[in-house]
Amino acid sequence: LERPETAPSRIARLRAKLAASSNPFGKALFNILAKDHLSETDWEDVEDTLLLADVGAEASAQLVDELRTDSRITGTSDPAQVREALRVKLLDLVGTGMDRRLNAVKEGANRPSVIIMVGVNGTGKTTTAGKLARLFVADDKSVMLGAADTFRAAAADQLQTWGAKVGVPVVRADKDGADPASVAFEAAAKAKEQDADVLIIDTAGRLQNKANLMDELGKIRRVTEKNLPVDEVLLVLDATTGQNGMAQAKVFAEAIGITGVVLTKLDGSAKGGIVVSVQKELGVPVKLVGLGEGPDDLAPFDPEGFVDGILA
Ligand code: GDP
């Protein structure tokens, strides 16, 4: 078993990766803001660029209105100044003040801490559960994974592969189609019995039937809580789906309640602007970002690095 990468090395590597990823959004803004003077069309282009980056219609319009008003008041449309003003406003929107720590690592956290992963299939839920287990292992925590996505047989196999990769035991059903809540119950019982530090439960994310999804997730939560309190419900959102992710997010927030978001596939997308909408509309922070398919490609969300990336 390969040793997990150290946190500073991982963060430096992932930052470099993010900076090197294609960012048409940053380039477009750079081109506009490199001009001597901003015309009306340039302002519209700034707004369109923010929209393209999924910052959301309302927030984009508001940002540009404020910047334009400021520049009228001060009588300057010097792109360098506008750029700095935009940086400050984006930082404000991205919410630098939000507490993004995982509840499992906070002072006085329950032990074993329970994290439930939710999200639509294909967003990267199972992969993120594996990577998250790895982060805790790197921190010398004992971790257990629970495969409560019993709908697809392949899902438990995939989680088991991740468990083997990161050196963490996986609790799964004996047979396909078992009750997901019973797996969650058993995983919580085992985590308690074996005195684990963290239990991460992977769930199914079929959105076709909202009532079913709500029933299933609600039951997983209630049944888990018979053994252990749930500290965290992390919603996994795929950054490349942009604003469509918001509709999904609302369904899950309603179904089970969420304490944070993991934004995956940021390595393949310049569309990170959804961070703004998620936090504003759901009132929960983006806590982690996925920057690739490998076991060490998960990092804490860094608002400053993120905004600098947008403006790069
Ligand atoms: P699930 O159905 O939500 O459990 O999704 P999976 O974990 O199976 O992931 C779906 C696909 O997305 C897989 O091919 C993953 O390797 C890939 N994936 C997950 N997270 C990331 C990420 O942060 N970056 C990239 N590039 N791919 C990712």
Side-chain angles (χ1 to χ4, degrees):
L1 189 70
E2 180 202 337
R3 273 210 55 77
E5 199 176 0
T6 60
S9 140
R10 190 181 63 249
I11 289 170
R13 183 177 58 78
L14 295 178
R15 245 204 200 127
K17 193 165 171 177
L18 193 59
S21 73
S22 68
N23 186 358
F25 173 45
K27 278 195 200 90
L29 270 184
F30 181 83
N31 287 338
I32 303 165
L33 298 176
K35 297 182 175 177
D36 295 336
H37 177 83
L38 296 182
S39 68
E40 204 43 45
T41 325
D42 293 329
W43 285 113
E44 280 164 24
D45 287 349
V46 172
E47 184 172 336
D48 288 349
T49 313
L50 290 168
L51 271 177
L52 282 175
D54 285 326
V55 171
E58 203 185 309
S60 303
Q62 192 187 333
L63 261 177
V64 169
D65 274 351
E66 285 175 15
L67 289 170
R68 196 164 25 192
T69 306
D70 291 352
S71 98
R72 283 203 188 109
I73 292 168
T74 56
T76 169
S77 61
D78 171 10
Q81 283 182 30
V82 172
R83 188 190 179 79
E84 180 51 26
L86 179 58
R87 198 180 75 83
V88 171
K89 284 189 195 298
L90 275 172
L91 272 176
D92 194 36
L93 268 183
V94 169
T96 36
M98 291 179 111
D99 185 357
R100 296 170 197 278
R101 284 172 308 161
L102 292 170
N103 295 337
V105 303
K106 287 184 185 164
E107 195 78 32
N110 298 304
R111 228 176 132 268
S113 269
V114 178
I115 302 175
I116 300 182
M117 312 292 301
V118 300
V120 174
N121 290 336
T123 52
K125 212 175 339 101
T126 306
T127 306
T128 305
K131 293 183 200 170
L132 189 56
R134 168 85 149 190
L135 271 187
F136 285 116
V137 167
D139 207 18
D140 287 328
K141 298 259 194 297
S142 70
V143 189
M144 204 175 270
L145 285 162
D149 180 355
T150 54
F151 191 69
R152 300 174 302 153
D157 292 344
Q158 194 193 344
L159 195 67
Q160 190 123 46
T161 305
W162 269 102
K165 205 184 279 184
V166 303
V168 161
V170 178
V171 177
R172 62 180 293 179
D174 313 330
K175 53 178 182 9
D176 292 347
D179 180 7
S182 75
V183 179
F185 179 85
E186 204 189 313
K190 277 212 175 116
K192 198 165 153 183
E193 180 191 300
Q194 297 184 14
D195 205 17
D197 293 314
V198 188
L199 167 66
I200 303 170
I201 300 176
D202 191 21
T203 63
R206 288 158 290 139
L207 259 193
Q208 293 88 325
N209 186 334
K210 188 173 155 189
N212 267 352
L213 182 88
M214 293 181 87
D215 278 357
E216 183 169 310
L217 292 179
K219 191 168 163 203
I220 286 177
R221 180 179 201 134
R222 282 193 308 278
V223 165
T224 305
E225 283 174 342
K226 287 187 198 279
N227 283 309
L228 295 169
V230 173
D231 300 284
E232 188 112 52
V233 180
L234 289 177
L235 171 70
V236 179
L237 277 184
D238 176 342
T240 63
T241 59
Q243 288 289 323
N244 292 337
M246 274 313 299
Q248 298 171 9
K250 285 181 185 154
V251 173
F252 283 95
E254 210 184 313
I256 182 168
I258 58 176
T259 57
V261 170
V262 183
L263 201 57
T264 58
K265 310 188 194 179
L266 257 188
D267 51 314
S269 163
K271 299 191 163 211
I274 192 161
V275 169
V276 172
S277 323
V278 164
Q279 298 181 156
K280 201 163 146 191
E281 292 184 39
L282 302 178
V284 296
V286 172
K287 293 193 169 182
L288 298 161
V289 293
L291 293 163
E293 301 186 76
D296 290 311
D297 292 332
L298 184 72
F301 176 63
D302 160 20
E304 269 127 36
F306 177 74
V307 168
D308 286 345
I310 284 181
L311 293 171

